[in-house]
Amino acid sequence: MSQKEFKATAQDYLQKAGNVSKEYLNLFKSKLATTVVDTVYMAEGITKNVIPGNPVTRDYEVTKHIGSAGPGLLWKLYAGFKKSTKQEATVFVLHKKSLEIFSKKDRDLIVEVFKKGATQLARIKHPRILSLQHQLEESKDSLAFATEPCFSSLANALGNHENMPSPLPDDFKDFKLLEVEIKYGLLQLAEALSFLHKDAKILHRNICPESIVINSNGAWKLAGFEFFVTNNNDPNDALKFPFKEWDGSLAPVLNPVLEYLAPEYGLSSKCDCSSDMFSFGMLFYSVYNNGKTLYSCSNNYSAFVKNVEELKSITNSQMSSIPSDIREYLKMLMHLNSELRPDAGQVTKIPFFDDVAVKTLEYLDSSFQVDNLQKSMFFKSLPQIIDKLPQRVCLQRIIPCLEQEFINPDMIPFILPSMFLIAEQSSNEEYVKYILPRLKIIFKLQKPIQILLIVLKNMSLILSKTPPTDIKEHILPLVCRSLETDTVEIQELCLGTLPSFAHLLDTSSIKHQIIPRIRKLCLESSTLSVRVNSLICIGKILEHLEKWVVLDDILPILEKINIRDSAVLMAMLGIYKIVLSHPKLGITKDLLATRVLPYLIPICIDNNLNMKQFNAYMSLVKEMLSQVESEQKKKLEQIEALEREKSIIPYSIAGNSSSKPKEVIKTPDTMMDQLMAGYGVATAQNTVPPPSFSTQSLNTSNSGLMPKKELTLNEKQELAAKLERNEPKISSSMSLNNLKPANKMSESLMDKNLKDLSISSTQKASQMNSNLDLLTQSMSSTNLMNNNPIRQFNSNNSFTTSQIPPNIQSNQNLGFFGNLALPAPNYNVSQINSSMNNGFNAHPISTSMKNSMNNIPLIPGPPRFASPVISKPNNQTVNNGHKSALDDLADIFG
């Protein structure tokens, strides 16, 4: 599907979307269509714009422009990767459109020359020559091929930024080649020339910065074979290369660079391997002279011939930028007489290259040819050399070489110390870019076991530089595997290093992945030191945990430990003390009282504890008890204060204090009774008898001194209707305060009857006495228990009841007439009569009432107590054929 078809399809689909406002819909459609199309075609668009229609785009994705190389720096270098394997690569592209500044003839020649150089590059395989990954592909608009990842050309590194991206990449800002990079780079080029001259029998003819490519690891690779020539003689004969003159009629890019061309091209019209060595000497000079050659020709052959003659006498001032220990060799390389120039093999043996850093890099590049014993000895001494190397060299040159040894796991324990030393000297950005991707490979390895040991020892460094997402994804599984291993040393090392990076782990990871494994070690390990270190590790990571995690996951571990070694017990003590005293944590009093203290107190008397350890445990227990005491006291005080605020006194009896029932508390007889009484707990023998009822309390209640509760409108209407019918029906479910109006009416009726009685007291006295005798006989005919109440008629014209058992007390609110008549007390009639006589004598009408009491019939039901509650039994009905309570009173009092 083309870009236009895709965009049209997207717009058609958006037109079918819901009924949205047209303005917002159009805006949404435009934004979405543009975003989708740009996203889908962005990568493809970049590739097609760079190399439109080139077959290289089928296999490689191009990301960005990074540099230029080749004659005239016409090759553009693009960073990219292979689509199938995601392997990094650099794509060299020659845009034919950029050749429009040349004539038609030159354009065709340039294309042919560049095709020749790329084709020859594919035929040569050597570590010092640029490695080709994808052969040259040609399209209508471009030439392209893919190589190993590259940084730039040497010309770009020396400051020639022609055909470079704009703005200039950050890597080139203030970029300067280091001494060790120059030395080793020149040594690499000398080795490449040695291979070309002796093995490949090829003359390069264009050794210059534009033909040298620096790869992503900082190695200098020879390229630019556009002008190479091969040997014409037989392999067994001396080398003889064809001579090609510099053609001024062609574009400069179709000729070798004059500033680096050997003098014999202008003087003797011949060339050989020494011609490349002259170019190598001039390159040597320009690298140390900030990219400037010994002379400048400006693409003028006549100027070249003139400058060549001046080579006979090179002054010391011209060589001032060159290191003193290489000047004489450099003069020999640039000598007019080609026979005096050293060959490539001899250059590699110059003492100038006998540098420790250079030799180290050289050994690393050739380490694949060395056995494991020699490698191990070299890698052991490598950290001492790393301290003397620039950081860029370590990152770009040493780390890649070390990575190549990962295929041999036995060498990894010897490699890791050097990698971690470089990581320590790196910034976080450098670590993430160069080191972390290599370490991720190591994190997955489990053997040899030394890998885990070295990684765990450097865990703090790793975690300090590793992003949090990578910690959870790569490092946390490594720690979990370390805790699960059977090697005690690794377990203890992991437990020892875990607290140092626990703050970098989230709570969920610690709870679900770390703590369960530590619990297993703590409870199941057969090694005492592992158990102790597990507890110590828990104690160190407590401050990084939440309180609920500690209470739910940590404390239960301690309760399951059954080992009573002093080291284990003291480690447990430390955990409890930290949890108890840390401001972020803490233990609730309920947990202390129910689980912690019952577990710790038996430990205090364990025989494995010495005096100091025992005192430490007792101090902790006392601290816990003190916390329980203080918190419980505070709670109880708050509860009591709350109850005092919310409590409602149900009944308050005002008036004479003598009317209040007096508590009769029996003195405890036993020590237990005294103890329980002291704590306010009543026993069976230390009970308070029920209060007595008196006429005074009744009068006090009827006097209206008790708290009153207002009647609702419905209740008032109901009472008014009953009073009109003279039928005061009072429901037993009504409250005491609701019955106040009925009681007042009873009082008024009582007063009226008493007045009537005073008038006819003489006539009724004899009748009352007969009724009283009859009542007394009935009461004395029933046997009661010893604690039955004694009803006395006191001076206030009411009965006084004492020692009322609970079963009778419960009936005091049954109303004026109960369902069952109370049995008569078993007392002497003389006592009752004397008591009644005393009561009646206090009243002005006592004589007449005493005489009339003899004629009172026995009335079933309980006596009238001091309680003002007068309720009618549910099973008692009042109608016109029965007498009301007021009629009964009238009958009693005549």
PDB file of all heavy atoms in Angstrom, residues 466-494:
ATOM      1  N   THR A 466      23.115   1.891  37.293  1.00  0.00           N
ATOM      2  CA  THR A 466      22.130   1.223  36.454  1.00  0.00           C
ATOM      3  C   THR A 466      20.765   1.880  36.616  1.00  0.00           C
ATOM      4  O   THR A 466      20.343   2.158  37.741  1.00  0.00           O
ATOM      5  CB  THR A 466      22.022  -0.266  36.829  1.00  0.00           C
ATOM      6  OG1 THR A 466      23.327  -0.845  36.725  1.00  0.00           O
ATOM      7  CG2 THR A 466      21.072  -0.999  35.901  1.00  0.00           C
ATOM      8  N   PRO A 467      20.043   2.137  35.536  1.00  0.00           N
ATOM      9  CA  PRO A 467      18.696   2.705  35.634  1.00  0.00           C
ATOM     10  C   PRO A 467      17.760   1.764  36.392  1.00  0.00           C
ATOM     11  O   PRO A 467      17.940   0.539  36.380  1.00  0.00           O
ATOM     12  CB  PRO A 467      18.265   2.856  34.165  1.00  0.00           C
ATOM     13  CG  PRO A 467      19.547   2.909  33.397  1.00  0.00           C
ATOM     14  CD  PRO A 467      20.499   2.022  34.140  1.00  0.00           C
ATOM     15  N   PRO A 468      16.743   2.314  37.069  1.00  0.00           N
ATOM     16  CA  PRO A 468      15.834   1.477  37.875  1.00  0.00           C
ATOM     17  C   PRO A 468      15.145   0.376  37.073  1.00  0.00           C
ATOM     18  O   PRO A 468      14.927  -0.727  37.573  1.00  0.00           O
ATOM     19  CB  PRO A 468      14.820   2.487  38.428  1.00  0.00           C
ATOM     20  CG  PRO A 468      15.551   3.788  38.431  1.00  0.00           C
ATOM     21  CD  PRO A 468      16.462   3.743  37.249  1.00  0.00           C
ATOM     22  N   THR A 469      14.778   0.658  35.835  1.00  0.00           N
ATOM     23  CA  THR A 469      14.102  -0.369  35.038  1.00  0.00           C
ATOM     24  C   THR A 469      15.009  -1.569  34.794  1.00  0.00           C
ATOM     25  O   THR A 469      14.561  -2.716  34.844  1.00  0.00           O
ATOM     26  CB  THR A 469      13.653   0.226  33.702  1.00  0.00           C
ATOM     27  OG1 THR A 469      14.788   0.836  33.045  1.00  0.00           O
ATOM     28  CG2 THR A 469      12.604   1.305  33.924  1.00  0.00           C
ATOM     29  N   ASP A 470      16.288  -1.310  34.553  1.00  0.00           N
ATOM     30  CA  ASP A 470      17.232  -2.414  34.340  1.00  0.00           C
ATOM     31  C   ASP A 470      17.539  -3.149  35.641  1.00  0.00           C
ATOM     32  O   ASP A 470      17.841  -4.349  35.623  1.00  0.00           O
ATOM     33  CB  ASP A 470      18.529  -1.885  33.722  1.00  0.00           C
ATOM     34  CG  ASP A 470      18.323  -1.403  32.298  1.00  0.00           C
ATOM     35  OD1 ASP A 470      17.611  -2.080  31.543  1.00  0.00           O
ATOM     36  OD2 ASP A 470      18.847  -0.337  31.940  1.00  0.00           O
ATOM     37  N   ILE A 471      17.464  -2.445  36.761  1.00  0.00           N
ATOM     38  CA  ILE A 471      17.691  -3.113  38.048  1.00  0.00           C
ATOM     39  C   ILE A 471      16.641  -4.184  38.280  1.00  0.00           C
ATOM     40  O   ILE A 471      16.946  -5.317  38.649  1.00  0.00           O
ATOM     41  CB  ILE A 471      17.676  -2.076  39.192  1.00  0.00           C
ATOM     42  CG1 ILE A 471      18.915  -1.175  39.104  1.00  0.00           C
ATOM     43  CG2 ILE A 471      17.623  -2.772  40.549  1.00  0.00           C
ATOM     44  CD1 ILE A 471      18.945  -0.083  40.143  1.00  0.00           C
ATOM     45  N   LYS A 472      15.394  -3.822  38.061  1.00  0.00           N
ATOM     46  CA  LYS A 472      14.311  -4.778  38.290  1.00  0.00           C
ATOM     47  C   LYS A 472      14.322  -5.897  37.264  1.00  0.00           C
ATOM     48  O   LYS A 472      13.972  -7.035  37.563  1.00  0.00           O
ATOM     49  CB  LYS A 472      12.972  -4.038  38.264  1.00  0.00           C
ATOM     50  CG  LYS A 472      11.795  -4.878  38.716  1.00  0.00           C
ATOM     51  CD  LYS A 472      10.557  -4.039  38.874  1.00  0.00           C
ATOM     52  CE  LYS A 472       9.400  -4.874  39.419  1.00  0.00           C
ATOM     53  NZ  LYS A 472       8.177  -4.064  39.614  1.00  0.00           N
ATOM     54  N   GLU A 473      14.739  -5.594  36.043  1.00  0.00           N
ATOM     55  CA  GLU A 473      14.659  -6.571  34.969  1.00  0.00           C
ATOM     56  C   GLU A 473      15.852  -7.509  34.935  1.00  0.00           C
ATOM     57  O   GLU A 473      15.704  -8.690  34.588  1.00  0.00           O
ATOM     58  CB  GLU A 473      14.525  -5.837  33.634  1.00  0.00           C
ATOM     59  CG  GLU A 473      14.364  -6.761  32.439  1.00  0.00           C
ATOM     60  CD  GLU A 473      14.172  -5.995  31.141  1.00  0.00           C
ATOM     61  OE1 GLU A 473      14.091  -4.747  31.192  1.00  0.00           O
ATOM     62  OE2 GLU A 473      14.102  -6.633  30.077  1.00  0.00           O
ATOM     63  N   HIS A 474      17.033  -7.028  35.293  1.00  0.00           N
ATOM     64  CA  HIS A 474      18.247  -7.833  35.124  1.00  0.00           C
ATOM     65  C   HIS A 474      18.967  -8.150  36.435  1.00  0.00           C
ATOM     66  O   HIS A 474      19.489  -9.254  36.591  1.00  0.00           O
ATOM     67  CB  HIS A 474      19.220  -7.112  34.183  1.00  0.00           C
ATOM     68  CG  HIS A 474      18.675  -6.878  32.807  1.00  0.00           C
ATOM     69  ND1 HIS A 474      18.565  -7.873  31.864  1.00  0.00           N
ATOM     70  CD2 HIS A 474      18.188  -5.755  32.213  1.00  0.00           C
ATOM     71  CE1 HIS A 474      18.052  -7.388  30.741  1.00  0.00           C
ATOM     72  NE2 HIS A 474      17.812  -6.113  30.938  1.00  0.00           N
ATOM     73  N   ILE A 475      19.017  -7.184  37.358  1.00  0.00           N
ATOM     74  CA  ILE A 475      19.818  -7.381  38.566  1.00  0.00           C
ATOM     75  C   ILE A 475      19.034  -8.115  39.643  1.00  0.00           C
ATOM     76  O   ILE A 475      19.591  -8.977  40.346  1.00  0.00           O
ATOM     77  CB  ILE A 475      20.333  -6.024  39.082  1.00  0.00           C
ATOM     78  CG1 ILE A 475      21.247  -5.393  38.013  1.00  0.00           C
ATOM     79  CG2 ILE A 475      21.078  -6.186  40.393  1.00  0.00           C
ATOM     80  CD1 ILE A 475      21.790  -4.052  38.382  1.00  0.00           C
ATOM     81  N   LEU A 476      17.760  -7.808  39.797  1.00  0.00           N
ATOM     82  CA  LEU A 476      16.963  -8.491  40.807  1.00  0.00           C
ATOM     83  C   LEU A 476      16.908 -10.000  40.580  1.00  0.00           C
ATOM     84  O   LEU A 476      17.051 -10.774  41.539  1.00  0.00           O
ATOM     85  CB  LEU A 476      15.556  -7.896  40.840  1.00  0.00           C
ATOM     86  CG  LEU A 476      14.647  -8.372  41.966  1.00  0.00           C
ATOM     87  CD1 LEU A 476      15.276  -8.073  43.321  1.00  0.00           C
ATOM     88  CD2 LEU A 476      13.283  -7.709  41.864  1.00  0.00           C
ATOM     89  N   PRO A 477      16.726 -10.488  39.351  1.00  0.00           N
ATOM     90  CA  PRO A 477      16.806 -11.947  39.152  1.00  0.00           C
ATOM     91  C   PRO A 477      18.162 -12.530  39.521  1.00  0.00           C
ATOM     92  O   PRO A 477      18.235 -13.667  40.014  1.00  0.00           O
ATOM     93  CB  PRO A 477      16.522 -12.101  37.646  1.00  0.00           C
ATOM     94  CG  PRO A 477      15.726 -10.903  37.275  1.00  0.00           C
ATOM     95  CD  PRO A 477      16.270  -9.799  38.129  1.00  0.00           C
ATOM     96  N   LEU A 478      19.227 -11.758  39.308  1.00  0.00           N
ATOM     97  CA  LEU A 478      20.551 -12.230  39.705  1.00  0.00           C
ATOM     98  C   LEU A 478      20.643 -12.406  41.213  1.00  0.00           C
ATOM     99  O   LEU A 478      21.178 -13.406  41.712  1.00  0.00           O
ATOM    100  CB  LEU A 478      21.605 -11.234  39.210  1.00  0.00           C
ATOM    101  CG  LEU A 478      23.031 -11.444  39.723  1.00  0.00           C
ATOM    102  CD1 LEU A 478      23.614 -12.716  39.137  1.00  0.00           C
ATOM    103  CD2 LEU A 478      23.908 -10.251  39.378  1.00  0.00           C
ATOM    104  N   VAL A 479      20.116 -11.450  41.958  1.00  0.00           N
ATOM    105  CA  VAL A 479      20.130 -11.548  43.422  1.00  0.00           C
ATOM    106  C   VAL A 479      19.295 -12.739  43.889  1.00  0.00           C
ATOM    107  O   VAL A 479      19.693 -13.477  44.799  1.00  0.00           O
ATOM    108  CB  VAL A 479      19.613 -10.233  44.036  1.00  0.00           C
ATOM    109  CG1 VAL A 479      19.497 -10.358  45.546  1.00  0.00           C
ATOM    110  CG2 VAL A 479      20.536  -9.076  43.676  1.00  0.00           C
ATOM    111  N   CYS A 480      18.151 -12.938  43.263  1.00  0.00           N
ATOM    112  CA  CYS A 480      17.300 -14.072  43.646  1.00  0.00           C
ATOM    113  C   CYS A 480      17.998 -15.400  43.371  1.00  0.00           C
ATOM    114  O   CYS A 480      17.920 -16.332  44.189  1.00  0.00           O
ATOM    115  CB  CYS A 480      15.972 -13.998  42.894  1.00  0.00           C
ATOM    116  SG  CYS A 480      14.951 -12.586  43.348  1.00  0.00           S
ATOM    117  N   ARG A 481      18.684 -15.490  42.258  1.00  0.00           N
ATOM    118  CA  ARG A 481      19.428 -16.725  41.965  1.00  0.00           C
ATOM    119  C   ARG A 481      20.555 -16.939  42.967  1.00  0.00           C
ATOM    120  O   ARG A 481      20.865 -18.073  43.348  1.00  0.00           O
ATOM    121  CB  ARG A 481      19.995 -16.676  40.546  1.00  0.00           C
ATOM    122  CG  ARG A 481      18.959 -16.801  39.456  1.00  0.00           C
ATOM    123  CD  ARG A 481      19.619 -17.179  38.137  1.00  0.00           C
ATOM    124  NE  ARG A 481      20.673 -16.265  37.764  1.00  0.00           N
ATOM    125  CZ  ARG A 481      20.491 -15.165  37.039  1.00  0.00           C
ATOM    126  NH1 ARG A 481      19.276 -14.846  36.622  1.00  0.00           N
ATOM    127  NH2 ARG A 481      21.505 -14.388  36.721  1.00  0.00           N
ATOM    128  N   SER A 482      21.156 -15.850  43.407  1.00  0.00           N
ATOM    129  CA  SER A 482      22.233 -15.969  44.390  1.00  0.00           C
ATOM    130  C   SER A 482      21.707 -16.487  45.722  1.00  0.00           C
ATOM    131  O   SER A 482      22.375 -17.266  46.400  1.00  0.00           O
ATOM    132  CB  SER A 482      22.914 -14.609  44.581  1.00  0.00           C
ATOM    133  OG  SER A 482      23.452 -14.142  43.351  1.00  0.00           O
ATOM    134  N   LEU A 483      20.514 -16.056  46.118  1.00  0.00           N
ATOM    135  CA  LEU A 483      19.938 -16.524  47.367  1.00  0.00           C
ATOM    136  C   LEU A 483      19.489 -17.981  47.275  1.00  0.00           C
ATOM    137  O   LEU A 483      19.401 -18.673  48.290  1.00  0.00           O
ATOM    138  CB  LEU A 483      18.749 -15.644  47.763  1.00  0.00           C
ATOM    139  CG  LEU A 483      19.077 -14.199  48.147  1.00  0.00           C
ATOM    140  CD1 LEU A 483      17.798 -13.414  48.370  1.00  0.00           C
ATOM    141  CD2 LEU A 483      19.953 -14.149  49.390  1.00  0.00           C
ATOM    142  N   GLU A 484      19.206 -18.430  46.075  1.00  0.00           N
ATOM    143  CA  GLU A 484      18.734 -19.801  45.880  1.00  0.00           C
ATOM    144  C   GLU A 484      19.858 -20.794  45.637  1.00  0.00           C
ATOM    145  O   GLU A 484      19.613 -22.005  45.627  1.00  0.00           O
ATOM    146  CB  GLU A 484      17.761 -19.839  44.698  1.00  0.00           C
ATOM    147  CG  GLU A 484      16.459 -19.092  44.951  1.00  0.00           C
ATOM    148  CD  GLU A 484      15.599 -19.030  43.714  1.00  0.00           C
ATOM    149  OE1 GLU A 484      16.113 -19.384  42.621  1.00  0.00           O
ATOM    150  OE2 GLU A 484      14.424 -18.629  43.817  1.00  0.00           O
ATOM    151  N   THR A 485      21.069 -20.311  45.424  1.00  0.00           N
ATOM    152  CA  THR A 485      22.164 -21.225  45.153  1.00  0.00           C
ATOM    153  C   THR A 485      22.514 -22.046  46.390  1.00  0.00           C
ATOM    154  O   THR A 485      22.196 -21.672  47.521  1.00  0.00           O
ATOM    155  CB  THR A 485      23.411 -20.444  44.678  1.00  0.00           C
ATOM    156  OG1 THR A 485      24.424 -21.359  44.308  1.00  0.00           O
ATOM    157  CG2 THR A 485      23.907 -19.537  45.777  1.00  0.00           C
ATOM    158  N   ASP A 486      23.200 -23.149  46.178  1.00  0.00           N
ATOM    159  CA  ASP A 486      23.586 -24.032  47.281  1.00  0.00           C
ATOM    160  C   ASP A 486      24.944 -23.674  47.873  1.00  0.00           C
ATOM    161  O   ASP A 486      25.366 -24.285  48.863  1.00  0.00           O
ATOM    162  CB  ASP A 486      23.614 -25.486  46.801  1.00  0.00           C
ATOM    163  CG  ASP A 486      22.239 -25.969  46.382  1.00  0.00           C
ATOM    164  OD1 ASP A 486      21.246 -25.457  46.928  1.00  0.00           O
ATOM    165  OD2 ASP A 486      22.163 -26.854  45.496  1.00  0.00           O
ATOM    166  N   THR A 487      25.616 -22.716  47.287  1.00  0.00           N
ATOM    167  CA  THR A 487      26.942 -22.325  47.770  1.00  0.00           C
ATOM    168  C   THR A 487      26.802 -21.360  48.934  1.00  0.00           C
ATOM    169  O   THR A 487      26.220 -20.266  48.793  1.00  0.00           O
ATOM    170  CB  THR A 487      27.754 -21.670  46.641  1.00  0.00           C
ATOM    171  OG1 THR A 487      27.789 -22.551  45.511  1.00  0.00           O
ATOM    172  CG2 THR A 487      29.159 -21.368  47.103  1.00  0.00           C
ATOM    173  N   VAL A 488      27.308 -21.762  50.080  1.00  0.00           N
ATOM    174  CA  VAL A 488      27.168 -20.951  51.291  1.00  0.00           C
ATOM    175  C   VAL A 488      27.866 -19.606  51.128  1.00  0.00           C
ATOM    176  O   VAL A 488      27.359 -18.569  51.579  1.00  0.00           O
ATOM    177  CB  VAL A 488      27.739 -21.714  52.504  1.00  0.00           C
ATOM    178  CG1 VAL A 488      27.734 -20.837  53.747  1.00  0.00           C
ATOM    179  CG2 VAL A 488      26.939 -22.982  52.738  1.00  0.00           C
ATOM    180  N   GLU A 489      29.010 -19.599  50.493  1.00  0.00           N
ATOM    181  CA  GLU A 489      29.766 -18.354  50.334  1.00  0.00           C
ATOM    182  C   GLU A 489      28.971 -17.323  49.548  1.00  0.00           C
ATOM    183  O   GLU A 489      28.963 -16.129  49.890  1.00  0.00           O
ATOM    184  CB  GLU A 489      31.092 -18.656  49.636  1.00  0.00           C
ATOM    185  CG  GLU A 489      32.012 -17.440  49.548  1.00  0.00           C
ATOM    186  CD  GLU A 489      33.333 -17.773  48.878  1.00  0.00           C
ATOM    187  OE1 GLU A 489      33.523 -18.960  48.509  1.00  0.00           O
ATOM    188  OE2 GLU A 489      34.161 -16.870  48.734  1.00  0.00           O
ATOM    189  N   ILE A 490      28.303 -17.769  48.502  1.00  0.00           N
ATOM    190  CA  ILE A 490      27.501 -16.842  47.701  1.00  0.00           C
ATOM    191  C   ILE A 490      26.291 -16.363  48.488  1.00  0.00           C
ATOM    192  O   ILE A 490      25.924 -15.181  48.443  1.00  0.00           O
ATOM    193  CB  ILE A 490      27.070 -17.520  46.382  1.00  0.00           C
ATOM    194  CG1 ILE A 490      28.290 -17.753  45.500  1.00  0.00           C
ATOM    195  CG2 ILE A 490      26.027 -16.682  45.656  1.00  0.00           C
ATOM    196  CD1 ILE A 490      27.971 -18.411  44.187  1.00  0.00           C
ATOM    197  N   GLN A 491      25.664 -17.273  49.232  1.00  0.00           N
ATOM    198  CA  GLN A 491      24.528 -16.877  50.048  1.00  0.00           C
ATOM    199  C   GLN A 491      24.919 -15.800  51.055  1.00  0.00           C
ATOM    200  O   GLN A 491      24.229 -14.780  51.191  1.00  0.00           O
ATOM    201  CB  GLN A 491      23.965 -18.098  50.773  1.00  0.00           C
ATOM    202  CG  GLN A 491      23.297 -19.108  49.847  1.00  0.00           C
ATOM    203  CD  GLN A 491      22.864 -20.360  50.588  1.00  0.00           C
ATOM    204  OE1 GLN A 491      23.225 -20.562  51.754  1.00  0.00           O
ATOM    205  NE2 GLN A 491      22.098 -21.209  49.925  1.00  0.00           N
ATOM    206  N   GLU A 492      26.025 -16.017  51.748  1.00  0.00           N
ATOM    207  CA  GLU A 492      26.459 -15.043  52.742  1.00  0.00           C
ATOM    208  C   GLU A 492      26.879 -13.731  52.101  1.00  0.00           C
ATOM    209  O   GLU A 492      26.608 -12.649  52.650  1.00  0.00           O
ATOM    210  CB  GLU A 492      27.609 -15.624  53.558  1.00  0.00           C
ATOM    211  CG  GLU A 492      27.197 -16.800  54.436  1.00  0.00           C
ATOM    212  CD  GLU A 492      28.342 -17.318  55.267  1.00  0.00           C
ATOM    213  OE1 GLU A 492      29.497 -16.918  54.988  1.00  0.00           O
ATOM    214  OE2 GLU A 492      28.106 -18.106  56.197  1.00  0.00           O
ATOM    215  N   LEU A 493      27.522 -13.809  50.945  1.00  0.00           N
ATOM    216  CA  LEU A 493      27.926 -12.585  50.260  1.00  0.00           C
ATOM    217  C   LEU A 493      26.712 -11.801  49.784  1.00  0.00           C
ATOM    218  O   LEU A 493      26.668 -10.574  49.889  1.00  0.00           O
ATOM    219  CB  LEU A 493      28.843 -12.928  49.078  1.00  0.00           C
ATOM    220  CG  LEU A 493      29.431 -11.745  48.319  1.00  0.00           C
ATOM    221  CD1 LEU A 493      30.265 -10.880  49.256  1.00  0.00           C
ATOM    222  CD2 LEU A 493      30.299 -12.236  47.165  1.00  0.00           C
ATOM    223  N   CYS A 494      25.718 -12.505  49.273  1.00  0.00           N
ATOM    224  CA  CYS A 494      24.498 -11.838  48.821  1.00  0.00           C
ATOM    225  C   CYS A 494      23.769 -11.204  49.998  1.00  0.00           C
ATOM    226  O   CYS A 494      23.288 -10.064  49.906  1.00  0.00           O
ATOM    227  CB  CYS A 494      23.598 -12.829  48.099  1.00  0.00           C
ATOM    228  SG  CYS A 494      22.108 -12.104  47.388  1.00  0.00           S
TER     229      CYS A 494
END
